[in-house]
Amino acid sequence: MKASAIRPATVNSQLSTLNSIAVGRTNDKPLKEAIEQMLHVYKLRRKFDETGLIVAWPEMMGSAVANRTKDIFIRDRKLFIRLESAVIKNDLMMMRSNIIEKMNEMAGSNVIDEIVFL
């Protein structure tokens, strides 16, 4: 289409419409707030927090523990951990309440109530 074929009135009305859409929205919100609302509406918040904690396990516990962790998952607010070292398992059992506190603090809510060592 040639530039001369575009009517100025049409372009102005389209620009005006786009401008009113961009400026006139009353439900605009920051991306963080929109994601928080989506997690709440679709009831994904708990699963999102659980996944974040599992991903953060190596950072929280260090490479020595992370390298000896065979399996880790959360079910019914219980953190299940399978370790290949009995010594580390015993150490973590002694620190159980500290680990729960640290993980819940990282999640920003009470996600873990109990730790089960497998």
Side-chain angles (χ1 to χ4, degrees):
M1 187 182 278
K2 294 181 181 178
S4 61
I6 299 174
R7 294 185 206 155
T10 305
V11 172
N12 285 341
S13 70
Q14 289 175 346
L15 288 174
S16 175
T17 302
L18 288 174
N19 192 26
S20 67
I21 289 172
V23 174
R25 288 186 178 170
T26 58
N27 63 348
D28 283 350
K29 55 183 81 177
L31 184 59
K32 180 181 179 187
E33 190 177 317
I35 291 172
E36 292 288 335
Q37 182 179 4
M38 181 197 70
L39 291 173
H40 175 73
V41 168
Y42 291 105
K43 297 180 176 147
L44 297 172
R45 166 56 62 198
R46 193 182 90 226
K47 192 66 175 171
F48 182 78
D49 290 341
E50 289 175 357
T51 303
L53 288 176
I54 290 170
V55 169
W57 177 256
E59 179 186 330
M60 289 174 55
M61 301 309 294
S63 61
V65 174
N67 291 337
R68 289 165 181 82
T69 302
K70 289 176 124 178
D71 194 17
I72 180 168
F73 60 94
I74 299 172
R75 186 169 296 136
D76 297 326
R77 301 174 67 91
K78 294 178 185 175
L79 176 67
F80 292 86
I81 305 168
R82 184 181 314 274
L83 297 163
E84 58 186 38
S85 169
V87 174
I88 292 178
K89 180 179 178 179
N90 189 40
D91 288 347
L92 293 181
M93 288 176 87
M94 299 297 182
M95 299 171 31
R96 184 177 284 172
S97 61
N98 293 344
I99 295 170
I100 293 171
E101 184 179 318
K102 188 175 181 181
M103 293 190 89
N104 286 333
E105 183 179 313
M106 182 174 233
S109 64
N110 193 15
V111 177
I112 306 292
D113 289 333
E114 185 180 340
I115 297 178
V116 178
F117 293 96
L118 304 171

